[in-house]
Amino acid sequence: MRKPVRILAFSAFAAGLALAAVPSVAADVLQDREDGFKAAKRSMAQIKDALAANNVAAIVEPAKSLAAFGPHIPALFPKGSNGGDSKAKSEIWDNFADFETKSKALETSAGLLAQVAAANDAAAVPGAFGKVADSCK
């Protein structure tokens, strides 16, 4: 009789530990996600400012930053991380393959933008930036 009670008590304790760990993991993911998207927003603003100033050279680094962020985006959205303070839409998890495709599109389009800006191809920059902006939708 004592053994089942111990097993039950241990199981309840272990379940409590597992549940206690979930919010901290989710909080870390939420913070990483928030930090990443804030940096991406800053990069987009820098690109827009550079476009407005006709400063093609100033587009290269923020475009590279966006391209580098793209492959990391899906990992910032593990299952179960849409609760709490998350503002992420449930559609992300409902069609995760599409979300991964859009993240890849950001990587590719921002990489292309960095290339055309590095080549000082002012005529190609607006179209390349349009593809970056489209990938963010």
Side-chain angles (χ1 to χ4, degrees), residues 56-57 60 112-122 125:
V56 174
V60 177
L112 176 64
L113 176 59
Q115 288 176 1
V116 298
N120 203 27
D121 187 350
V125 167

Side-chain angles (χ1 to χ4, degrees), residues 1-89:
M1 186 92 137
R2 297 185 107 194
K3 191 172 186 176
V5 171
R6 281 189 220 155
I7 291 171
L8 183 60
F10 178 76
S11 297
F13 175 73
L17 286 177
L19 288 175
V22 170
S24 65
V25 170
D28 291 345
V29 169
L30 292 177
Q31 188 62 56
D32 290 347
R33 187 161 67 205
E34 184 178 327
D35 293 345
F37 279 98
K38 282 182 178 179
K41 187 176 180 178
R42 284 190 302 273
S43 292
M44 289 294 283
Q46 291 169 341
I47 293 168
K48 288 177 185 178
D49 291 346
L51 283 170
N54 292 318
N55 186 355
V56 174
I59 292 171
V60 177
E61 290 307 314
K64 285 181 179 179
S65 177
L66 286 172
F69 181 53
H72 300 286
I73 294 172
L76 298 173
F77 291 85
K79 285 187 178 186
S81 67
N82 58 334
D85 292 335
S86 175
K87 294 181 177 91
K89 296 178 181 177

